[in-house]
Amino acid sequence: MGESGKKLKVAVLVTEYRYNSHADVILGRLLGDFAYCPRVEVVSMYTDQVPDGDMSREAADRCGIPVCPSIAEAIRADHSGGPVDGVIIIAEHGNYPKNEKGQILYPRRRFLEETLAALDELGRAVPIFSDKHLAYTYRDSRWMYDEMKARGIPFMGGSSIPYADLVPALDLGRARSMKMILVISNGGLECYGFHAMEVLQSIAEFREGGETGVRSVELIRGGQGEVWEAMDRGEWPEDLLLHALSVYPDLPQVHPRTSEPDPAMYRIEYADGTKAFIIQFKRLHEHWAFAFRDREGRIAASRYDNDLDRPFSHFERLTRAIETFFLTRRPPQPPERTLLTSGMISFAMDSLFAGKKLETPELMIQYAAHPVLEGEE
């Protein structure tokens, strides 16, 4: 509850709201779906597109919430007696063009620009949650981060995957002396590659001394066995791959090069010398796993046990974290993590397009990790 004892009022801005979309599993919960009891009140919605199977109009009618014709009107929320106390941006899914790098041009920066313009007019600086990465270019991501920071706006973003349980359970304090890490991922290079960056960073940021930034990024699509040939040359650690694979309970007992001849690979070099590798398979598994080696040579491995079908419990945990963020104005992880992972996936796509490793002085982003805020009301 807010200081007045009333629920905080929230505007939710989405690209589209359909079954199993991010709007469905986040906004739907805030409207009482999934047997969820929200702690904030959605008072207005904006939808950029209305696809076949749209759920927004029925939900709005059922809950007595207007679907506003503009973002500014959703934030002003005149129908509710005054402006909102928080904004949720879910610019994921929808019919948007792709650029030459294969990135979907979701309008995340436009949504934020219109949000900031409305808040500026009202003289307000309310918390903002923006789903997944900030934008498809680092330039836009940096602009978004800087504009919110300049206004003193509390910000939360990122992936839902790090909210899932680690199986087996793992004390991330063991990552303090980590020097090398490998993450197993799946799916599309940008949309799922971002989840992999968040998995990576949710562990890597626990290194002793905190996060000091990323020196270079490279993405190899695979093809002709290129990734496996690099492994044979010792360019990335097969032993970490095998340890990460060991946490999956149902994989066939064969080397993945047999079933996945052409995975993609991301290579990340951190400013402190730590090396990271993401092996992105097409169909091996739908959970994200990882293994890391510390300076003494010890290896730890685990996976994020995200639901693969409804009710997607990791999205329930994310939604709870969003509400706690609005109520406390403190994000569950530093916003610099979202800026860094946004830059990492953006430069990875640039690297693939350029066909070479990219030095990334722009990503010398420093921050200290802090734990997820649990149990705060």
Side-chain angles (χ1 to χ4, degrees):
M1 298 287 183
E3 292 181 0
S4 66
K6 296 181 180 179
K7 284 186 175 180
L8 298 183
K9 299 189 299 183
V10 175
V12 183
L13 321 174
V14 306
T15 45
E16 67 173 24
Y17 181 2
R18 56 165 175 76
Y19 185 76
N20 274 358
S21 66
H22 283 204
D24 178 21
V25 297
I26 299 173
L27 170 56
R29 282 185 159 87
L30 295 176
L31 298 179
D33 295 340
F34 301 88
Y36 188 87
C37 296
R39 294 176 291 162
V40 301
E41 181 184 4
V42 177
V43 298
S44 58
M45 286 189 274
Y46 168 80
T47 59
D48 206 48
Q49 296 182 351
V50 184
D52 292 340
D54 171 71
M55 297 171 64
S56 65
R57 272 54 183 172
E58 183 279 329
D61 289 344
R62 169 167 47 88
C63 299
I65 299 168
V67 179
C68 298
S70 71
I71 286 174
E73 289 175 69
I75 290 169
R76 286 199 301 270
D78 294 333
H79 59 277
S80 72
V84 298
D85 305 299
V87 179
I88 294 175
I89 296 174
I90 308 174
E92 179 80 359
H93 307 299
N95 183 20
Y96 295 92
K98 288 185 178 181
N99 64 16
E100 67 278 9
K101 301 171 189 175
Q103 297 169 290
I104 301 175
L105 307 184
Y106 290 124
R108 293 178 178 133
R109 172 168 171 163
R110 173 169 65 83
F111 272 35
L112 183 67
E113 283 189 279
E114 294 184 26
T115 295
L116 294 179
L119 291 175
D120 286 349
E121 185 175 334
L122 294 164
R124 291 176 68 79
V126 304
I128 296 174
F129 168 79
S130 185
D131 188 36
K132 291 191 69 177
H133 45 306
L134 283 162
Y136 54 87
T137 69
Y138 179 69
R139 179 181 178 183
D140 283 353
S141 294
R142 186 79 216 195
W143 181 90
M144 294 165 72
Y145 170 86
D146 287 343
E147 290 296 317
M148 286 186 284
K149 192 172 184 64
R151 290 168 170 80
I153 289 176
F155 170 69
M156 173 184 172
S159 165
S160 62
I161 302 302
Y163 291 89
D165 287 329
L166 284 175
V167 179
L170 178 66
D171 176 9
L172 289 180
R174 294 183 62 183
R176 285 182 58 80
S177 65
M178 183 187 77
K179 298 306 294 181
M180 185 174 291
I181 180 171
L182 182 142
V183 173
I184 294 176
S185 184
N186 68 92
L189 290 176
E190 183 190 31
C191 60
Y192 276 62
F194 175 72
H195 288 305
M197 296 296 181
E198 285 271 291
V199 167
L200 167 62
Q201 201 56 34
S202 70
I203 303 147
E205 66 190 19
F206 281 90
R207 303 191 312 283
E208 189 172 9
E211 184 52 64
T212 57
V214 167
R215 178 179 295 131
S216 69
V217 175
E218 183 177 18
L219 171 54
I220 300 170
R221 187 190 297 274
Q224 307 302 314
E226 185 177 358
V227 171
W228 298 122
E229 290 175 3
M231 182 192 74
D232 293 338
R233 294 192 298 268
E235 295 176 10
W236 62 271
E238 182 180 17
D239 62 336
L240 289 187
L241 171 69
L242 297 178
H243 274 85
L245 290 172
S246 73
V247 303
Y248 294 112
D250 53 357
L251 289 183
Q253 298 301 304
V254 297
H255 198 286
R257 72 189 305 163
T258 302
S259 57
E260 293 270 0
D262 295 311
M265 181 175 66
Y266 307 75
R267 286 195 267 216
I268 311 294
E269 296 181 25
Y270 287 91
D272 66 356
T274 302
K275 294 184 178 179
F277 306 88
I278 297 169
I279 310 300
Q280 187 134 332
F281 295 111
K282 297 176 182 177
R283 55 191 171 273
L284 185 71
H285 211 285
E286 294 181 77
H287 286 154
W288 280 263
F290 62 88
F292 62 81
R293 181 173 17 250
D294 64 21
R295 67 168 65 100
E296 285 78 33
R298 296 171 298 187
I299 295 175
S302 189
R303 63 184 169 91
Y304 281 107
D305 191 26
N306 57 292
D307 291 352
L308 302 181
D309 206 344
R310 294 170 88 87
F312 304 113
S313 61
H314 53 296
F315 274 104
E316 177 158 341
R317 294 182 183 187
L318 172 61
T319 306
R320 282 287 178 215
I322 295 167
E323 291 183 295
T324 298
F325 164 56
F326 284 155
L327 292 165
T328 64
R329 299 177 69 92
R330 287 185 289 164
Q333 62 275 330
E336 288 77 16
R337 182 211 283 181
T338 308
L339 176 63
L340 182 58
T341 54
S342 297
M344 288 159 68
I345 192 62
S346 175
F347 279 111
M349 299 303 291
D350 291 347
S351 163
L352 179 65
F353 188 70
K356 62 181 181 180
K357 180 174 77 172
L358 297 181
E359 302 298 320
T360 54
E362 302 93 333
L363 298 185
M364 293 299 179
I365 297 167
Q366 301 182 14
Y367 68 92
H370 59 74
V372 173
L373 305 173
E374 295 180 349
E376 293 189 26
E377 299 296 329

